[in-house]
Amino acid sequence: MQDKTQNKDCGKTPKDSNDKYFLAMSNVAIAHPLFKARLFEYFDFDIKKTFECDTNDIKLADEYWGGLSCPRDFFKERDNTDPDKFYDNFMELSSGENLSKGKPLKDTAFSEPLAKGIKYITYDSGNYPAMLKGIADFPLMLYYKGDFSGVNFDKTVAFVGSRKASTYAREILGTIISAFKGLDITIVSGLAEGVDAKSHSSALENGLKTIGVIGSGFKFQYPSSNKKLYEEIEAGGGIIFSEYPYEIPPMPHQFPQRNRIVTGLSYGTVVGEARMKSGAMISGKLTLEQGRELMCVPGLISNPNTEGVYHLLRNGASMVTTGADILDVLGWDIKIETAGKENLEGLEKQIYEAISIEARAIEELALVLSVDINDLMVNLTSMELKGLIKQAGGSYFIKG
């Protein structure tokens, strides 16, 4: 089946295509993906019947599911969305045709330059990610920018965590992801600040494909600090997904909703830093509900952003400190080559030489090397993740 870089039903007119109903449903009951997914399943994955349902259909679906809460404004929103017009407006604006004519269409959710280049996949597209079909509240369709051709959906790992990630966490996550260099592994995250941004940028720096899932329509590159990252992901052969029509702004409830797609696309989720009440903890809960592997990177216990991490670890999440650990948890038979001492430079080289003589505690190392203890901690952890050193009894040794 053709990759839907334009329209899956190439050669059909909008009136013949079911795609118009998928696009129209994206504009209806936006805050209720589980309702839409269950209604779609009730109609045996027939999107036209789903869109054209009536109150009696909802009643029967409610009996079928043993409870199906219909959004209050569902029928009002549905009746105000014309599938043909919505489809036509999307196709014209996303192609850029209307921009060249210099005339905006009326009653369209796609009315600005950033709409150009947006594509979409629907549930019945051949390239709709199989992992995403396995979650209860799967999106009926996704808008996207980027390229499917080089993205491996069979080896996906999500990285989530604090928007205010510490330098320590950023360094560690960068080191872990760098271990995947040269491997066909896809990094998934939510294009937020902090852990998300670091995960995407580390993937790009190491030649890996990455998928970003945003909590708004493509009109909004949120946060603005990540505008360059949006462009780099698209240019680097990655994908940016959104389940929202173009003009939907970022709203608080949409980020937890977005998180289910981040974790749903992935075989496992790695939590970097997380407070007890945070989006990363929501992602951890979603990962378990979806039957995927939950992993956590331990951090400094003095950092309040590690509170959630240790809570998850105490409750069964797997602890990972290296890229190899992640592969082991996921059961992927892929070998990672570890760095050798000949590649060390700067402070890492000094540390290696210092503990080559004898095992040393961190305070002693800081004194011997005359370095800040926080910088020392970051480098020690990086070296430990590379498999060069290990810690035991409060002191650091050369591994092996």
Side-chain angles (χ1 to χ4, degrees), residues 84-102:
D84 289 313
K85 182 182 291 186
F86 198 83
Y87 182 100
D88 289 343
N89 288 343
F90 168 74
M91 293 304 288
E92 186 170 358
L93 268 295
S94 64
S95 69
E97 292 177 14
N98 211 56
L99 296 172
S100 62
K101 297 174 185 176

Side-chain angles (χ1 to χ4, degrees), residues 95-296:
S95 69
E97 292 177 14
N98 211 56
L99 296 172
S100 62
K101 297 174 185 176
K103 63 182 184 74
L105 290 179
K106 294 181 180 180
D107 303 321
T108 176
F110 305 92
S111 56
E112 295 187 9
L114 280 175
K116 184 178 180 180
I118 300 174
K119 294 160 279 192
Y120 68 90
I121 54 170
T122 66
Y123 185 88
D124 60 4
S125 300
N127 54 356
Y128 185 100
M131 289 292 283
L132 205 51
K133 288 187 175 183
I135 67 174
D137 45 1
F138 56 86
L140 273 59
M141 65 152 292
L142 289 167
Y143 300 99
Y144 75 95
K145 286 190 173 185
D147 184 9
F148 272 74
S149 61
V151 177
N152 185 1
F153 284 93
D154 293 326
K155 291 287 185 294
T156 47
V157 185
F159 285 79
V160 302
S162 174
R163 285 177 168 81
K164 297 181 179 179
S166 65
T167 301
Y168 174 86
R170 293 171 196 258
E171 291 286 344
I172 301 313
L173 290 171
T175 301
I176 290 175
I177 291 172
S178 69
F180 298 146
K181 186 173 184 176
L183 304 180
D184 192 13
I185 291 174
T186 302
I187 305 301
V188 185
S189 200
L191 259 170
E193 292 180 308
V195 166
D196 288 18
K198 180 62 180 179
S199 301
H200 291 303
S201 62
S202 294
L204 294 168
E205 288 165 7
N206 289 282
L208 303 172
K209 300 300 183 184
T210 186
I211 298 171
V213 186
I214 60 175
S216 68
F218 277 100
K219 177 179 180 178
F220 302 89
Q221 293 182 322
Y222 178 84
S224 58
S225 58
N226 281 349
K227 284 184 178 180
K228 185 179 178 184
L229 193 52
Y230 275 70
E231 296 169 2
E232 290 174 344
I233 291 174
E234 189 177 352
I239 300 172
I240 301 173
F241 280 128
S242 172
E243 65 179 320
Y244 306 107
Y246 178 72
E247 288 193 342
I248 301 299
M251 300 291 287
H253 71 271
Q254 288 164 196
F255 292 98
Q257 195 170 311
R258 173 275 314 269
N259 291 352
R260 85 189 196 284
I261 298 177
V262 171
T263 57
L265 283 166
S266 309
Y267 286 78
T269 297
V270 179
V271 179
E273 288 183 337
R275 290 178 178 267
M276 283 299 293
K277 293 184 177 180
S278 64
M281 291 296 283
I282 293 172
S283 294
K285 182 174 181 289
L286 288 167
T287 300
L288 296 175
E289 288 175 352
Q290 293 168 352
R292 314 291 164 83
E293 294 289 348
L294 179 61
M295 298 162 276
C296 293

Side-chain angles (χ1 to χ4, degrees), residues 29-44:
I30 289 171
H32 302 275
L34 181 60
F35 166 77
K36 292 197 285 187
R38 287 190 167 173
L39 194 62
F40 185 50
E41 284 192 70
Y42 170 75
F43 283 110
D44 198 23

Side-chain angles (χ1 to χ4, degrees), residues 1-10 125-127:
M1 184 175 291
Q2 176 183 334
D3 182 335
K4 188 182 299 184
T5 53
Q6 293 298 324
N7 176 12
K8 172 181 67 70
D9 299 300
C10 185
S125 300
N127 54 356

